[in-house]
Amino acid sequence: MSKSKQYFIRSREDLKVRFNAAYQAAGEALAGGCVVLTLGRETRGNAQNAKLWAMLDDVAAQVVYCGKLRSREAWKDICTIAWKEETELVMSLDNTKLIAVGLSTSTLNKKDFAELIEVIYATGANFSVVWSEKAECVISEFNLNNY
């Protein structure tokens, strides 16, 4: 089995069909050696990723934080730390800087990613960000106008 297979289960009705397909594929693949089956949540797609960056671009262009404009990457880190307690601040090896460690947004599932987008929206609202048309599409899609 040279290529991995994914089976998306979105309802209880999908369970039997997808499990049977996975059972058959795993059985066939056993001829090549051990097979690993993994369960997980669907990860975000390109559309959700584009939404995040559209909003971060607006925040980065308009908000002065700790005395200066911050990059969109810095704002992603700032909002991620505000959202998840799993992130921890530690000193660099030379004891000159604080570093955020613990959570990578690349591993977030769709639900968690949507929560992070809500934090970014709330942050923008708190700093009176004027959202671009691109970001407004995100705000409408995620129904974030209640902040």
Side-chain angles (χ1 to χ4, degrees):
M1 183 173 186
S2 60
K3 197 170 185 181
S4 66
K5 293 187 178 192
Q6 291 184 334
Y7 300 93
F8 293 90
I9 302 168
R10 292 188 172 85
S11 68
R12 287 202 167 272
E13 292 75 31
D14 288 345
L15 277 173
K16 187 173 184 178
V17 173
R18 300 294 190 268
F19 277 12
N20 283 337
Y23 177 82
Q24 184 175 358
E28 293 168 6
L30 280 171
C34 182
V35 174
V36 176
L37 294 175
T38 305
L39 292 177
R41 296 268 179 224
E42 190 174 18
T43 57
R44 71 179 192 261
N46 290 337
Q48 212 175 13
N49 205 41
K51 294 167 187 168
L52 170 109
W53 291 111
M55 294 180 77
L56 288 171
D57 284 340
D58 287 352
V59 174
Q62 298 175 44
V63 178
V64 174
Y65 188 70
C66 293
K68 67 179 192 176
L69 288 173
R70 302 289 168 175
S71 69
R72 66 189 201 154
E73 290 82 6
W75 275 107
K76 181 177 70 93
D77 292 342
I78 292 165
C79 291
T80 301
I81 290 169
W83 168 63
K84 273 292 187 194
E85 293 177 9
E86 296 162 21
T87 306
E88 176 182 8
L89 294 175
V90 298
M91 287 301 294
S92 61
L93 293 175
D94 64 1
N95 289 321
T96 61
K97 299 172 197 75
L98 282 174
I99 303 167
V101 296
L103 183 65
S104 169
T105 58
S106 64
T107 61
L108 296 180
N109 62 41
K110 284 186 172 189
K111 178 185 172 292
D112 288 342
F113 206 76
E115 288 178 12
L116 177 58
I117 287 173
E118 287 184 35
V119 170
I120 295 166
Y121 180 76
T123 300
N126 190 43
F127 285 101
S128 302
V129 168
V130 177
W131 300 109
S132 64
E133 186 176 327
K134 198 173 180 182
E136 284 288 347
C137 290
V138 177
I139 293 162
S140 295
E141 184 172 333
F142 282 86
N143 296 318
L144 298 173
N145 291 313
N146 59 346
Y147 287 93

